Amino acid sequence: MHSDHADVSANALSKATARSISIPVLYEDNHVIGVVKPVNIPSQADDTGDEDMLTLIKQDLKERHQKAGNVFLGLVHRLDRPVGGAMLFAKTSKGASRLSDSVRNGRLLKRYVAVLRGIPARPKATLRDTLLKDTRTNTSAVLASGTPGGKDAVLDYEVLATHTQANLSLVLITLHTGRSHQIRVQLSHAGYPLYGDQRYGVTVNRPGEQLALWSVLAGAPHPVKDEQIRILSLPPRVRPWNQWSEHVYDQLAERLEREQD
């Protein structure tokens, strides 16, 4: 299996400088581009009118490859605005169609790290819930199984490290479904809201704290080649990520790389 990955902290990353925002490029060929999404940038244009990933990368591709006219870029999957990390986009309509098929068929691999308030009683677990999204408030809630309109939500989490003094846990999460705010809602419902989550952890987080959720791995079958695309990105070593030593992140990177081989 072919894989491409990089650590966001590495100096060797090529930089796609789109206007005022620098976006590290982890992988690029004729059909796909994989990047590190900075926190607090929407995946696509929204009502705020703020710069978004689709627009920024299109602008960069136009300038860097000196393309005339419109540049095609397909949004394959989304990351919530406050979430940063590995993200894949399609550069051709064929790439967009086939990667979208991978998403629908559950072949898009998504792994995240998060910092939780509290230390889970079980170091490893699978969470299965029924989520219902309220489009009016753009929030999701866990409801009883069989609730009309509810959708199954499944994720695995594993505690990588804890900080007992700060009552924080660093966890690795594998998503098996892609529901709105799924990680944040399910872990909050389990009793361990994410650090900085102002929506689902308002009772334990202070205003202004950055949501600690990061896309560490995004992968999918290449749309035209018989190989896998895998991109790896580690979170920035700022609070609360800096509560753990570099050794913890080195071990995580080595583990993710081994799993790709």
Side-chain angles (χ1 to χ4, degrees), residues 202-227:
V202 67
T203 59
V204 292
N205 290 307
R206 299 191 199 100
E209 288 177 335
Q210 176 65 46
L211 179 71
L213 179 59
W214 192 266
S215 169
V216 285
L217 184 67
H222 194 283
V224 299
K225 301 176 188 175
D226 184 21
E227 59 188 38

Side-chain angles (χ1 to χ4, degrees), residues 24-249:
V25 176
L26 303 182
Y27 175 92
E28 185 176 7
D29 64 18
N30 289 337
H31 293 275
V32 182
I33 183 168
V35 303
V36 179
K37 175 189 173 298
V39 298
N40 299 327
I41 296 180
S43 295
Q44 62 186 127
D46 60 16
D47 293 341
T48 65
D50 294 341
E51 291 184 311
D52 65 280
M53 292 298 290
L54 266 178
T55 304
L56 289 168
I57 297 171
K58 277 186 184 180
Q59 182 68 22
D60 168 66
L61 292 173
K62 186 177 177 68
E63 293 173 2
R64 192 154 46 91
H65 297 302
Q66 299 179 334
K67 286 181 174 281
N70 292 329
V71 173
F72 179 90
L73 191 68
L75 185 69
V76 177
H77 64 113
R78 293 171 176 80
L79 294 177
D80 288 348
R81 184 176 182 134
V83 181
M87 193 171 182
L88 293 170
F89 292 84
K91 291 174 62 179
T92 62
S93 55
K94 180 187 282 187
S97 174
R98 293 186 179 175
L99 286 171
S100 295
D101 284 344
S102 292
V103 173
R104 282 191 293 274
N105 297 332
R107 299 180 71 195
L108 179 71
L109 179 61
K110 295 178 286 185
R111 304 193 82 178
Y112 297 80
V113 284
V115 178
L116 308 185
R117 294 284 188 181
I119 298 173
R122 293 182 293 170
K124 274 179 152 179
T126 298
L127 301 183
R128 299 177 185 274
D129 295 296
T130 297
L131 300 190
L132 184 65
K133 182 176 180 179
D134 184 336
T135 54
R136 185 175 50 83
T137 59
N138 191 30
T139 57
S140 294
V142 174
L143 297 175
S145 178
T147 299
K151 294 184 176 179
D152 291 338
V154 184
L155 64 78
D156 300 327
Y157 78 78
E158 178 184 345
V159 177
L160 299 175
T162 59
H163 193 301
T164 51
Q165 191 173 9
N167 196 31
L168 298 175
S169 302
L170 180 69
V171 298
L172 178 65
I173 296 160
T174 301
L175 274 184
H176 297 292
T177 52
R179 310 306 180 198
S180 178
H181 298 171
Q182 179 179 339
I183 293 171
R184 299 159 66 182
V185 178
Q186 286 195 272
L187 284 161
S188 177
H189 180 72
Y192 309 104
L194 271 63
Y195 179 100
D197 194 342
Q198 310 299 329
R199 191 167 297 200
Y200 302 101
V202 67
T203 59
V204 292
N205 290 307
R206 299 191 199 100
E209 288 177 335
Q210 176 65 46
L211 179 71
L213 179 59
W214 192 266
S215 169
V216 285
L217 184 67
H222 194 283
V224 299
K225 301 176 188 175
D226 184 21
E227 59 188 38
Q228 291 280 327
I229 304 167
R230 301 285 180 91
I231 56 172
L232 169 64
S233 166
L234 296 178
R237 310 306 191 268
V238 296
R239 188 171 178 85
W241 305 107
N242 61 4
Q243 299 298 298
W244 293 278
S245 70
E246 201 65 29
H247 178 64
V248 170
Y249 294 105

